């Protein structure tokens, strides 16, 4: 199974320029993850311990994974990614062993950043109520906690996790020495939506497009949805064999993306 774990390693090419908004959040993550790797002497000199683990939380599609990748790219560190829900649903019965191997790999490949997406799948309180599968999930969580306790705060393996459901997390995960720095990644405000739209339309040919109108039509829209809006507007322009993407294409694209979002929400409930 070591081979499987090796496949979790990535070399992300995401840069900070590809992240719209989230400036303060990025700086917080850099202080907790990147600078301890690239300038450890500052922490030494000042005599302060960087946080052990960083938890990013917020709605799906707001850029949590994007930030983690950009920080890994900038730190020149290996990015080792594991999904909490895959641990539970794909590697049934092997979760704890996989977590062990994940951290062995992280040490071998150091400097490295371990990123556990959807950590609520292994670390949520409701899982430990005696329902089926919960003993296995509990073992996986215990292994993760043990691995984290085995690391120093200044090591060259940095640990990050992300969740949409911080309210469900087992408090054991949030104790000092574990995920002790919590950073909220919110829905983008108007300025951030403008930046995100600029990023995702940078390579598109556009004619008389009023970005401000799009910004005000996309309140409560995530970065992932804004990316979908840009792509959809481009596809509509392609379909009508146009020279450039126009305002009407964006208007139609926003409608379509919002309709799909509502459908997805209806399926969730
Ligand atoms: P999930 O909780 O579903 O894993 P996430 O917060 O990790 O979501 P990402 O995977 O980072 O979301 O975002 C998905 C995609 O949406 C990104 O690859 C990117 O193209 C786009 N995106 C999201 N947020 C931003 C942003 N702030 N700036 C630019 N693009 C963004």
């Amino acid at each position: 199974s070591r081979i499987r774990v090796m496949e979790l390693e990535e070399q992300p090419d995401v840069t900070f320029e590809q992240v719209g908004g989230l400036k303060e959040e990025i700086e917080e993550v850099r202080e907790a993850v990147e600078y301890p790797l690239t300038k450890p002497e500052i922490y030494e000199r000042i005599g302060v311990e960087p946080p052990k683990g960083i938890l990013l939380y917020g709605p799906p599609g707001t850029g949590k994974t994007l930030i983690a990748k950009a920080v890994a790219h900038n730190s020149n560190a290996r990015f080792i990614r594991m999904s909490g829900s895959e641990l539970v649903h794909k590697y049934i019965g092997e979760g704890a062993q996989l977590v062990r191997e994940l951290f062995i790999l992280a040490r071998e490949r150091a400097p490295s950043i371990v990123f556990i997406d959807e950590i609520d799948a292994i670390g949520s309180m409701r899982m430990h109520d005696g329902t089926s599968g919960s003993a296995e999930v509990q073992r996986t969580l215990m292994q993760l906690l043990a691995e984290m306790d085995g690391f120093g705060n200044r090591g060259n393996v940095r640990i990050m996790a992300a969740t949409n459901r911080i309210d469900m997390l087992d408090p054991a995960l949030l104790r000092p020495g574990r995920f002790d720095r919590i950073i909220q990644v919110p829905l983008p405000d108007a300025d951030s939506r403008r930046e995100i739209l600029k990023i995702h339309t940078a390579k598109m040919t556009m004619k008389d497009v009023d970005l401000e109108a799009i910004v005000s039509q996309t309140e409560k829209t995530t970065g992932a949805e804004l990316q979908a809006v840009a792509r959809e507007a481009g596809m509509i322009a392609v379909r009508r064999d146009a020279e450039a993407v126009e305002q009407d294409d964006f208007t139609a694209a926003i409608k379509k993306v919002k309709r799909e979002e509502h459908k997805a929400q209806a399926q969730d409930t």
Side-chain angles (χ1 to χ4, degrees):
S1 64
R2 285 304 296 288
I3 290 168
R4 228 173 29 198
V5 178
M6 308 280 277
E7 285 167 9
L8 303 173
E9 193 181 318
E10 287 178 42
Q11 203 68 320
D13 56 2
V14 176
T15 63
F16 290 123
E17 288 76 57
Q18 287 165 261
V19 187
L22 302 175
K23 297 286 171 285
E24 281 170 32
E25 292 79 1
I26 287 174
E27 194 48 37
E28 271 197 74
V29 176
R30 296 183 78 180
E31 284 171 5
V33 178
E34 178 183 325
Y35 306 148
L37 291 173
T38 58
K39 325 175 198 178
E41 65 284 356
I42 299 181
Y43 295 79
E44 201 104 346
R45 188 172 70 226
I46 302 295
V48 69
E49 301 269 300
K52 175 78 82 70
I54 290 82
L55 179 70
L56 301 174
Y57 79 96
T62 45
K64 298 182 289 296
T65 307
L66 209 58
I67 292 179
K69 285 184 174 176
V71 169
H73 175 86
N74 230 52
S75 322
N76 236 323
R78 305 287 177 152
F79 187 66
I80 301 171
R81 183 176 177 180
M82 168 64 89
S83 140
S85 70
E86 277 195 9
L87 263 178
V88 171
H89 297 118
K90 192 166 154 194
Y91 305 108
I92 300 156
E94 303 176 278
Q97 177 61 18
L98 230 73
V99 168
R100 245 173 58 80
E101 290 173 14
L102 178 70
F103 281 89
I104 292 173
L105 178 71
R107 280 194 204 90
E108 279 174 8
R109 289 289 196 266
S112 59
I113 295 172
V114 172
F115 180 66
I116 305 171
D117 202 0
E118 297 181 75
I119 191 156
D120 43 283
I122 53 167
S124 102
M125 292 180 281
R126 238 184 30 191
M127 294 287 185
H128 309 145
D129 59 2
T131 54
S132 70
S134 71
E136 149 77 1
V137 172
Q138 176 83 15
R139 262 199 308 280
T140 307
L141 175 61
M142 288 306 159
Q143 187 65 42
L144 174 63
L145 297 179
E147 295 292 349
M148 291 192 76
D149 293 346
F151 273 99
N153 290 46
R154 294 191 184 171
N156 54 5
V157 176
R158 313 299 305 166
I159 309 165
M160 299 183 74
T163 182
N164 313 317
R165 296 302 311 270
I166 193 166
D167 54 311
M168 300 218 322
L169 282 191
D170 192 321
L173 273 169
L174 306 179
R175 262 179 225 143
R178 287 162 180 176
F179 292 99
D180 49 10
R181 177 64 61 90
I182 297 170
I183 300 171
Q184 184 179 13
V185 181
L187 283 173
D189 62 11
D191 287 337
S192 301
R193 292 200 299 279
R194 189 178 308 113
E195 282 185 35
I196 295 169
L197 283 164
K198 278 187 185 157
I199 290 166
H200 291 290
T201 56
K203 288 180 183 157
M204 286 172 38
T205 312
M206 297 193 286
K207 186 171 165 248
D208 301 331
V209 169
D210 176 6
L211 212 57
E212 280 323 297
I214 306 172
V215 167
S216 55
Q217 286 164 20
T218 50
E219 259 181 71
K220 297 194 184 132
T221 305
T222 65
E225 285 161 354
L226 290 168
Q227 180 187 25
V229 164
R231 192 191 305 122
E232 195 56 45
M235 290 307 293
I236 294 169
V238 166
R239 211 168 299 144
R240 62 184 183 83
D241 200 14
E243 296 294 325
V245 187
E246 294 180 23
Q247 194 71 27
D248 286 349
D249 301 323
F250 277 98
T251 307
I254 292 167
K255 271 203 196 118
K256 179 158 187 227
V257 169
K258 284 194 172 160
R259 202 161 55 229
E260 274 162 13
E261 180 201 342
H262 287 143
K263 255 192 265 168
Q265 276 169 2
Q267 269 166 11
D268 276 353
T269 51

